Amino acid sequence: MLIVALDFSTDEEAYRFIAPLSPNDCILKVGLQLYVAAGPTFVKSLVAMGFKVFLDLKFHDIPNTVAGACKSAADLGVWMINVHAAGGPVMLEAASNSLIGYQDPPILIGVTVLTSMDQQQLNAINVNQSPEEQVKHLALSCANAGLAGVVCSAQESEMLRQEQGQEFILVTPGIRPADSDSADQQRIMTPQQAMSAGSNYIVVGRPITEAVEPLAVIRSINRAIA
């Protein structure tokens, strides 16, 4: 299923983009840039319009703070939220436990290794495992803490599907249609490749939001992954 990253700096730009869309076309992802600019009111408006919203804020702090942030996000009515898996088992468990009391909690997933990072960048922060090994390690931590899945590169999807089984949710950014620029992403795949590798949800941003006809690109991707 397609998640569109709303890579905009204002809610006005985002609303113009969303205007021709239906909740049946895609899920919407609100990341740090747009959330800082537009805030929770904007997120609530998307939910009220019937869209599933992935609030992509990658919480990473002390356990109590992350637990409170997860509750605040759940109160917005969003469909999915994420935390950094590198925050450690206690933080992950606090995030998971914070949502127990909700009748319809958001899906909680962990961010493993950002798709903008390669081996050289991992080495620079003293992580000497390969990206694949680091993703495997962090995904296991998420599973053990009760999270529903992870954000990972589609290059790790097949491996994680074998490691964690069919119920574990894999959300894969860094997705680029075959004819688009890779931009600042390092570990990328096309939509078809990602779904074949085992991804449940693919995230596409600029190839859609910067397109002349975004809805046509959305429909093309949806046909390709159907």
Side-chain angles (χ1 to χ4, degrees):
M1 188 172 293
L2 174 63
I3 300 174
V4 176
L6 298 179
D7 294 326
F8 300 105
S9 56
T10 68
D11 55 354
E12 289 86 358
E13 293 175 290
Y15 280 130
R16 282 197 296 272
F17 172 81
I18 294 164
L21 303 184
S22 154
N24 295 322
D25 293 320
C26 59
I27 297 162
L28 300 178
K29 182 174 83 70
V30 176
L32 278 170
Q33 180 184 16
L34 185 54
Y35 188 79
V36 170
T41 300
F42 172 73
V43 174
K44 287 181 179 178
S45 73
L46 298 184
V47 174
M49 293 163 65
F51 285 98
K52 289 182 176 179
V53 177
F54 173 19
L55 187 60
D56 177 25
L57 301 183
K58 303 180 179 70
F59 300 136
H60 188 173
D61 212 309
I62 64 172
N64 188 63
T65 297
V66 168
C70 288
K71 287 183 178 180
S72 294
D75 291 339
L76 297 177
V78 298
W79 166 77
M80 177 179 280
I81 59 177
N82 58 7
V83 299
H84 262 295
V90 176
M91 190 205 80
L92 295 175
E93 289 171 8
S96 181
N97 291 339
S98 73
L99 301 176
I100 289 175
Y102 286 87
Q103 184 175 0
D104 188 21
I107 298 168
L108 175 63
I109 59 175
V111 179
T112 55
V113 176
L114 300 174
T115 53
S116 60
M117 297 192 75
D118 56 16
Q119 186 68 63
Q120 183 177 3
Q121 292 186 71
L122 285 177
N123 292 343
I125 59 171
N126 205 33
V127 175
N128 296 316
Q129 297 188 99
S130 68
E132 182 179 76
E133 287 299 317
Q134 181 69 355
V135 167
K136 183 190 297 186
H137 170 71
L138 293 174
L140 180 59
S141 292
C142 290
N144 289 340
L147 275 65
V150 295
V151 180
C152 65
S153 162
Q155 294 181 8
E156 289 95 41
S157 289
E158 186 173 359
M159 176 268 293
L160 287 183
R161 184 60 65 217
Q162 294 175 354
E163 291 284 324
Q164 297 295 336
Q166 295 301 313
E167 299 303 314
F168 200 66
I169 293 173
L170 303 179
V171 178
T172 53
I175 303 300
R176 291 289 184 271
D179 58 350
S180 67
D181 182 13
S182 65
D184 57 355
Q185 305 283 9
Q186 299 294 327
R187 292 156 37 245
I188 62 175
M189 278 191 181
T190 66
Q192 298 97 320
Q193 290 171 334
M195 298 302 290
S196 295
S199 301
N200 299 102
Y201 301 96
I202 60 171
V203 181
V204 184
R206 283 164 284 185
I208 292 175
T209 58
E210 295 178 358
V212 175
E213 296 184 32
L215 186 55
V217 178
I218 289 173
R219 288 173 174 168
S220 175
I221 292 173
N222 281 335
R223 287 193 297 270
I225 65 176

